[in-house]
Amino acid sequence: DQLTRLEENLKTLQAVEAQFERQELAARRGALMRDEFGAARDLVLGELYHKISERFVEYYKIVHGEDEADFQAELRPNGPALDFQVGFHGRGTHPPHALHSEGHQDSMGVCLYLALMKILTRDKVFLTILDDVVMSIDSEHRRSFSKLISEKFSDRQFLITTHNRTWAYQLKTD
């Protein structure tokens, strides 16, 4: 009886060891795939961020150039996220929310979107709909935002909704 139980236990142990080896192989393959995916993602995002970085800074300077002529930005992948640092009047780079006003942060968001859009939708999408993206941007910078759109996106059509009647009228007359 004891030998029979030992034989059954040995067979169970061998089956468990074989299953463990298969699972260990699957875990190694999964870790390799995760690492390769992460490296490929970082490469693709790094190239994309590099392509749009200069364009983003150019667009932001059009909107806020007189305020921030020395503006600079660093865009780097941080896993699936974006490590986004911007200059602030020669005092180094910081996350946008650290030192910039809400209006400047909103301008950055729109300029970043426009820079991405220019690269990702090239010759494919010619209509852009923006919903009240200038709400916290003052009227002087709204005029500069209008200039940005008319100069850099003359090949596209924009539909911009806003609750600000003054700017809506200004867009029609500019």
Side-chain angles (χ1 to χ4, degrees):
D1 279 345
Q2 213 170 14
L3 284 175
T4 303
R5 281 193 301 246
L6 282 173
E7 185 178 3
E8 289 172 5
N9 288 342
L10 180 61
K11 287 180 182 178
T12 302
L13 176 65
Q14 289 170 339
V16 169
E17 284 177 339
Q19 183 181 7
F20 176 77
E21 287 176 15
R22 286 191 304 274
Q23 290 176 349
E24 193 175 51
L25 177 62
R28 283 194 308 268
R29 287 178 177 164
L32 180 63
M33 288 174 33
R34 180 199 61 224
D35 295 345
E36 289 299 315
F37 172 80
R41 176 200 59 218
D42 291 348
L43 179 67
V44 169
L45 289 177
E47 289 174 1
L48 176 63
Y49 296 156
H50 178 72
K51 284 180 186 176
I52 67 164
S53 182
E54 286 181 28
R55 190 167 292 176
F56 163 71
V57 169
E58 174 190 1
Y59 294 171
Y60 187 79
K61 283 182 177 182
I62 290 172
V63 177
H64 291 278
E66 71 282 352
D67 298 339
E68 299 193 55
D70 297 335
F71 182 77
Q72 58 185 345
E74 298 172 5
L75 290 81
R76 288 184 304 273
N78 183 6
L82 168 64
D83 184 9
F84 186 37
Q85 303 280 318
V86 293
F88 185 77
H89 302 285
R91 295 184 178 115
T93 58
H94 308 276
H97 64 276
L99 300 170
H100 283 87
S101 69
E102 183 179 347
H104 284 252
Q105 291 175 48
D106 287 352
S107 296
M108 285 180 213
V110 173
C111 291
L112 184 60
Y113 172 78
L114 293 173
L116 276 166
M117 180 188 73
K118 191 83 159 184
I119 297 287
L120 297 177
T121 66
R122 181 183 15 225
D123 300 329
K124 293 180 180 101
V125 177
F126 299 97
L127 172 65
T128 301
I129 301 172
L130 301 173
D131 182 26
D132 213 4
V133 295
V134 296
M135 181 174 59
S136 62
I137 301 172
D138 64 47
S139 61
E140 182 180 325
H141 293 107
R142 288 179 189 165
R143 186 175 297 277
S144 299
F145 178 70
S146 301
K147 179 183 171 188
L148 167 67
I149 290 174
S150 67
E151 287 181 2
K152 299 296 180 178
F153 297 92
S154 61
D155 62 333
R156 296 176 189 245
Q157 185 173 9
F158 281 82
L159 176 62
I160 303 172
T161 64
T162 182
H163 293 91
N164 185 302
R165 292 175 193 253
T166 305
W167 192 65
Y169 177 75
Q170 178 184 337
L171 275 177
K172 287 180 184 177
T173 58
D174 284 352

